[in-house]
Amino acid sequence: MTGFATRAARAGINRDPAHRAVTAPIHLSSAFARETPELVPDFDYSRTAHPGRALFEESVADLEGGAGAVATASGMAAIDLLLNDLPRGARIVAPVDAYGGTRRLLDARATSGRFDVRYVRCWETGEIAAALEGGADLLLIETPSNPLLRITDIESTARLGKAAGALVAVDNTLLSPALQRPLTLGADCVLHSATKLINGHSDMVGGVLVETDTARLDRHRWWANAAGTGLAGFDAFLALRGIRTLPVRARTQSAAALEIAEWLAARPEVAAVHYPGLNDHPGHALAARQQSGFGVVLSLELAPDRDARVFAKALSLFTLAQSLGGVESLVSLPALMTHAAMTPDARAAAGISDRLIRLSVGLEDVADLISDLEAALTASATT
Ligand SMILES: *Cc1c(COP(=O)(O)O)cnc(C)c1O
């Protein structure tokens, strides 16, 4: 098999049988003509499947090392496909500090009586083992976690989950297959918000669920068609285009994030920096082992004499917006933005303080980003 960068760079290249277009064309047609009424073509109706979605699915499945993938209209729709396949009353073990939207969906389904959800601090393997006692249907992990960048040991966690009879799923959004491949560490399936690092240009919303098991894959595909939650043609084109530069973006942005994390950690205005690339991060050794880069996201807490809102507003090269993984740098205040749907108690249990600031590092010159951060730190004094 060719290398990862080769497969990424050639995603959807030279795959047009009609005109031999080098780059896969955008198919926006909702329907495809049949030769005869009975003969069902490869592509029939675009809710079910279309060429651009198929190429994107094939590419992500290949990069993650799965048997296949289903691309969805959003990352949440990919998570919903996974949940959809569970029986009524299923027992789910999920991270206490899961992505805010995931937590909201799980809470809503638990409240309606669909599932029994137990939230655990996944970075403490013992807590996962305790929650799995008596069996479980799904173990969902997210590593590094968002926004605190805690690291879960995928290999030992997957072993525990499987022993308890649970399907082991990893939300790999924060790293992408360029920096972490959970299926090689024993996970059963991997999901992504393709909106983030995979597309990387902040110009579409989408998701993808990669499976190792073809029977589960077929059921997910059946539901994506039945419920109409598949990825649209234009968005599939954009996501596929994003994949071609994924390895180089992930590597360059991770290197910049590390430089910024080290710089912030040495500043007196900063009380804490959460980034697995730092030597004193509790998950550093584990991240170095199971990841092939430390990622593009970091978070920080300012010293008590600093104001996080003033800091975020004073930045000019980090746009105040709630996404991550794009070529442009972003800043967000999780308690007020991505994690606002959680109750204050749930946020406190997850360790998300009102003073926490999350940065997604883009492709700008690192020196410019650091100057911008320096000016904002100076401006953030409360006195
Ligand atoms: C953004 C995100 C999601 C949800 O994806 P959408 O594309 O916004 O629906 C899920 N998990 C993580 C870790 C995310 O960052």
Side-chain angles (χ1 to χ4, degrees):
M1 190 166 39
T2 51
F4 189 90
T6 304
R7 288 180 282 139
R10 301 201 62 88
I13 298 296
N14 196 19
R15 295 290 302 275
D16 170 31
H19 303 293
R20 309 187 65 199
V22 171
T23 304
I26 311 177
H27 293 275
L28 296 178
S29 185
S30 51
F32 298 82
R34 293 187 175 201
E35 299 262 7
T36 68
E38 301 80 16
L39 200 66
V40 182
D42 288 350
F43 300 107
D44 187 30
Y45 185 60
S46 283
R47 169 163 37 74
T48 316
H50 56 78
R53 191 196 295 159
L55 285 176
F56 174 65
E57 290 171 343
E58 188 187 306
S59 173
V60 179
D62 172 50
L63 296 178
E64 286 285 7
V70 179
T72 51
S74 68
M76 290 318 305
I79 294 173
D80 205 35
L81 271 189
L82 181 69
L83 299 181
N84 212 16
D85 197 41
L86 300 174
R88 177 159 293 279
R91 282 166 300 178
I92 300 175
V93 176
V96 69
D97 57 351
Y99 171 71
T102 304
R103 176 84 189 220
R104 177 174 54 200
L105 182 63
L106 287 172
D107 282 345
R109 293 261 197 270
T111 304
S112 71
R114 177 80 169 79
F115 302 128
D116 164 19
V117 186
R118 275 167 274 177
Y119 293 108
V120 294
R121 303 186 310 151
C122 284
W123 60 99
E124 302 284 357
T125 310
E127 272 193 35
I128 299 185
L132 289 169
E133 256 169 49
D137 296 282
L138 172 69
L139 170 61
L140 175 65
I141 54 186
E142 219 183 281
T143 180
S145 71
N146 174 20
L148 285 164
L149 289 306
R150 290 172 177 133
I151 309 295
T152 299
D153 186 330
I154 298 175
E155 201 161 14
S156 63
T157 305
R159 217 177 300 121
L160 285 173
K162 284 177 172 174
L167 183 78
V168 179
V170 178
D171 182 334
N172 201 23
T173 299
L174 256 72
L175 291 178
S176 90
L179 302 179
Q180 176 169 272
R181 283 182 285 285
L183 301 182
T184 66
L185 298 167
D188 296 305
C189 52
V190 166
L191 60 95
H192 285 278
S193 167
T195 315
K196 314 289 169 57
L197 202 50
I198 285 188
N199 174 59
H201 294 73
S202 305
D203 50 13
M204 54 75 76
V205 171
V208 61
L209 175 58
V210 185
E211 274 288 358
T212 50
D213 180 81
T214 50
R216 275 199 310 272
L217 181 72
D218 289 346
R219 293 200 297 273
H220 295 317
R221 204 178 288 295
W222 189 91
W223 273 109
N225 177 53
T229 56
L231 186 63
F234 194 68
D235 296 333
F237 171 86
L238 291 173
L240 191 62
R241 180 210 51 183
I243 283 182
R244 300 189 190 114
T245 54
L246 173 62
V248 72
R249 282 187 286 108
R251 193 174 341 118
T252 308
Q253 292 174 228
S254 286
L258 177 60
E259 214 173 311
I260 287 171
E262 284 170 344
W263 182 84
L264 285 169
R267 295 291 305 200
E269 304 94 331
V270 177
V273 180
H274 308 284
Y275 187 67
L278 296 176
N279 288 324
D280 62 356
H281 183 280
H284 176 68
L286 177 58
R289 198 164 68 235
Q290 77 180 9
Q291 303 174 195
S292 45
F294 294 110
V296 307
V297 176
L298 62 113
S299 59
L300 66 139
E301 274 157 80
L302 297 181
D305 64 335
R306 303 279 143 177
D307 187 312
R309 281 164 170 267
V310 175
F311 171 78
K313 257 199 99 192
L315 289 164
S316 63
L317 290 179
F318 289 81
T319 302
L320 182 66
Q322 50 181 6
S323 192
L324 58 92
V327 297
E328 73 296 331
S329 292
L330 300 179
V331 58
S332 74
L333 303 181
L336 300 176
M337 296 167 68
T338 45
H339 293 64
M342 286 167 77
T343 64
D345 281 351
R347 272 201 302 273
I352 299 166
S353 82
D354 290 349
R355 290 153 18 92
L356 190 72
I357 297 158
R358 187 184 77 187
L359 301 179
S360 174
V361 178
L363 279 180
E364 302 90 346
D365 287 305
V366 193
D368 291 336
L369 294 177
I370 287 178
S371 307
D372 196 32
L373 290 165
E374 185 163 30
L377 283 178
T378 305
S380 68
T382 49
T383 44

